[in-house]
């Protein structure tokens, strides 16, 4: 009787208060800090290629294969993580994920063979980071906000870039000054440091604190835990693959991943180093991308609340493709103004595609949108994984990255056309 009374009390809305900041913004802030802390691992792969090649004599293709496993699992875990959050709660899933990331990064310190890199950095960090993927941001946004969703999704997406801004210069300095092993330990400690914030401050649902979602007209009771998380993720996928918009969204986002995480984040630093640019200078340029990524993604969220998301995607991909075509002409031993212009331009466009893609998933798939977006994100990471591997193979084969830049630019042009043909009529789907 007591448990029933307490549960009912939690579901009751409190008396309205004036002049207070809505709790949803505090939850968004904790989510932002969590994603920043977890972003350390996203900064490392490009920095590790040359040190691991020098120490262990592993080919760039082999190292790229480990990175590709990481990126693929990052994507393939995301839809199951979204369903697990529905079943066990956001706080538990994220805390476990951060712990797995820390373990995987820490264990790399003792590796001596390539398969151990694939196990630690590929499997463990890939699985942990997949649970910290953008589906996490989508779940928080969907539960806590009914207004300003585009803006919030843009801010939370920008958190990863903010983490890159913080960690890239630091980790590159550690690697150049000391070794890559202290950098791996730093990643592990950064992930562990966030766990207490998640456990103490990240509430699963507005009803847990007796509030309405931000902008909601009515109080929303917390839904009961959803059993069969894995089955639900697969069921939603089987339903979504029967629709045309899913394949167009997945295809465009695969190209997005190929041209960002797979290409620039993984291969920009070694490509710049090939042209005799110092590693710290190249890492600083990549960090600057993170600065403008924050601006571009938040602005994209604002645009998504006001303009047609299909057209926004087409513009973003077209501009990205053009910029990649010019990159081989800009790389050199020194940083010149045209390279700075490219970095600023590319940073503004880096993950500006996320808010409109989220909006289209929400429009097309309703209550299943977070899980559908998880599968769309999986395609993003599969595209990134392919280019992370093939980029390393291309460098081993041709001695240059030029062919990869040009091919990625052409793919971005195709993505712009795909975005324009996504149909506007929303699909009436029910939750699986």
């Amino acid at each position: 009787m007591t448990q029933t009374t307490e549960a009912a009390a939690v579901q009751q809305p409190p008396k309205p208060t004036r002049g207070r900041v809505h709790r949803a913004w505090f939850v968004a802030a904790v989510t932002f800090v969590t994603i920043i802390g977890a972003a350390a691992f996203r900064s490392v792969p490009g920095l590790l290629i040359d040190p691991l090649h020098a120490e262990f004599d592993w080919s760039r293709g082999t190292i790229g294969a480990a990175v590709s496993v990481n990126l693929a699992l990052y994507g393939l875990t995301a839809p199951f993580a979204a369903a697990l959050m529905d079943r066990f709660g956001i706080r538990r899933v994220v805390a476990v994920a951060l712990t797995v990331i820390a373990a995987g990064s820490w264990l790399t310190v003792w590796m001596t063979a390539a398969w151990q890199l694939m196990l630690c950095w590929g499997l463990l960090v890939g699985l942990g980071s997949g649970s910290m993927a953008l589906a996490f941001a989508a779940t928080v946004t969907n539960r806590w906000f009914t207004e300003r969703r585009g803006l919030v999704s843009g801010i939370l997406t920008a958190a990863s870039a903010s983490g890159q801004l913080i960690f890239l210069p630091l980790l590159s300095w550690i690697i150049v000054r000391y070794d890559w092993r202290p950098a791996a330990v730093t990643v592990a400690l950064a992930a562990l440091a966030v766990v207490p914030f998640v456990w103490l401050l990240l509430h699963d649902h507005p009803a847990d604190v007796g509030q309405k979602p931000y902008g909601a007209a009515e109080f929303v009771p917390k839904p009961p835990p959803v059993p069969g998380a894995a089955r639900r993720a697969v069921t939603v996928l089987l339903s979504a693959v029967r629709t045309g918009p899913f394949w167009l969204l997945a295809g465009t986002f695969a190209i997005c991943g190929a041209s960002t995480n797979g290409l620039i984040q993984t291969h920009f630093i070694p490509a710049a180093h090939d042209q005799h640019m110092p590693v710290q200078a190249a890492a600083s340029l990549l960090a600057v991308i993170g600065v403008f990524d924050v601006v571009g993604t938040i602005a994209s969220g604002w645009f998504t609340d006001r303009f047609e998301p299909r057209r926004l995607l087409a513009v973003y991909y077209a501009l990205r493709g053009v910029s990649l075509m010019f990159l081989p002409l800009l790389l050199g031993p020194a940083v010149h103004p045209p390279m700075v212009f490219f970095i600023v331009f590319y940073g503004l466009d880096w993950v500006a595609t996320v808010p409109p893609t989220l909006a289209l998933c929400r429009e097309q798939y309703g209550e299943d949108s977070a899980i559908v977006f998880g599968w769309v994100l999986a395609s993003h990471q599969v595209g990134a994984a392919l280019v992370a591997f093939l980029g390393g193979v291309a460098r081993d084969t041709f001695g240059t990255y030029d062919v990869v830049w040009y091919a990625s630019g052409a793919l971005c042009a195709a993505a712009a056309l795909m975005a324009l043909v996504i149909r506007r009529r929303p699909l009436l789907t029910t939750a699986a």
Side-chain angles (χ1 to χ4, degrees):
M1 186 68 177
T2 302
Q3 291 180 348
T4 303
T5 303
E6 290 177 354
V10 172
Q11 300 296 329
Q12 296 298 320
K15 294 180 180 180
T17 57
R18 297 179 181 274
R20 291 185 181 180
V21 178
H22 195 284
R23 184 67 67 89
W25 294 108
F26 291 103
V27 172
V30 173
T31 304
F32 186 87
V33 172
T34 302
I35 296 174
I36 285 179
F41 69 87
R42 301 283 303 279
S43 305
V44 173
L47 295 170
L48 288 183
I49 291 178
D50 285 337
L52 294 180
H53 174 70
E55 179 171 338
F56 298 107
D57 199 28
W58 298 337
S59 71
R60 291 176 175 83
T62 297
I63 301 169
V67 176
S68 72
V69 170
N70 176 294
L71 292 172
L73 286 175
Y74 177 95
L76 293 172
T77 304
F80 296 98
L84 285 171
M85 288 176 190
D86 288 341
R87 176 66 179 88
F88 299 106
I90 299 173
R91 177 167 53 186
R92 292 178 181 176
V93 173
V94 173
V96 171
L98 287 167
T99 304
V100 172
I101 290 170
S105 183
W106 195 287
L107 288 172
T108 58
V109 172
W110 291 281
M111 67 182 179
T112 57
W115 68 266
Q116 295 167 345
L117 176 65
M118 298 211 182
L119 175 64
C120 296
W121 200 259
L123 180 63
L124 292 179
V125 177
L127 289 174
S129 61
S131 300
M132 290 292 302
L134 293 175
F136 169 41
T139 301
V140 170
T141 302
N142 288 348
R143 290 187 184 184
W144 281 88
F145 293 85
T146 57
E147 292 182 357
R148 302 290 189 268
R149 280 178 168 175
L151 176 63
V152 174
S153 64
I155 292 172
L156 295 182
T157 302
S160 182
S162 300
Q164 177 176 290
L165 167 65
I166 294 169
F167 286 107
L168 259 174
L170 173 64
L171 295 175
S172 65
W173 178 82
I174 290 173
I175 290 172
V176 170
R177 181 70 179 271
Y178 300 103
D179 189 21
W180 63 268
R181 288 177 177 83
V185 172
T186 301
V187 171
L189 293 177
L192 285 177
V194 182
V195 173
F197 292 95
V198 171
W199 195 253
L200 296 175
L201 301 174
L202 188 61
H203 297 286
D204 288 328
H205 194 277
D208 289 341
V209 291
Q211 289 197 344
K212 300 181 294 185
Y214 180 82
E218 298 179 354
F219 182 77
V220 179
K222 183 177 180 179
V226 181
R231 182 174 65 253
R232 184 182 176 211
V234 174
T235 301
V236 170
L237 173 64
L238 293 176
S239 175
V241 295
R242 298 188 182 99
T243 65
F246 175 81
W247 292 105
L248 291 169
L249 288 168
T252 55
F253 225 40
I255 293 171
C256 178
S259 56
T260 53
N261 300 82
L263 181 64
I264 297 294
Q265 191 164 52
T266 304
H267 293 293
F268 177 80
I269 292 176
H273 192 55
D274 282 349
Q275 303 301 320
H276 309 293
M277 183 182 292
V279 171
Q280 286 182 273
S284 297
L285 288 176
L286 206 55
V288 171
I289 285 181
V291 177
F292 290 94
D293 184 6
V294 174
V295 177
T297 308
I298 294 174
S300 179
W302 188 86
F303 290 144
T304 301
D305 287 332
R306 291 161 176 79
F307 299 105
E308 172 57 52
R310 295 157 189 79
R311 294 182 181 178
L312 289 176
L313 283 179
V315 171
Y316 296 157
Y317 285 121
L319 292 176
R320 184 183 299 179
V322 171
S323 65
L324 283 173
M325 293 291 187
F326 283 98
L327 182 57
L329 304 176
L330 304 178
L331 287 171
V335 178
H336 298 292
M339 173 57 78
V340 175
F341 179 79
F342 168 85
I343 293 298
V344 172
F345 186 85
Y346 208 82
L348 291 172
D349 193 53
W350 182 267
V351 286
T353 56
V354 173
T357 302
L358 262 173
L360 289 172
C361 285
R362 194 177 298 121
E363 171 191 302
Q364 299 285 343
Y365 302 103
E367 293 181 358
D368 289 333
S369 61
I371 296 178
V372 172
F373 179 72
W375 286 112
V376 171
L377 178 63
S379 71
H380 180 282
Q381 295 306 113
V382 169
L386 285 173
V387 172
F389 171 64
L390 294 176
V393 172
R395 172 60 178 81
D396 290 334
T397 303
F398 301 109
T400 177
Y401 283 102
D402 287 359
V403 66
V404 186
W405 307 131
Y406 294 133
S408 297
L411 285 174
C412 288
L417 295 176
M418 292 165 65
L420 290 174
V421 300
I422 299 173
R423 64 184 181 185
R424 297 188 179 187
R425 182 176 63 85
L427 300 174
L428 298 177
T429 60
T430 57

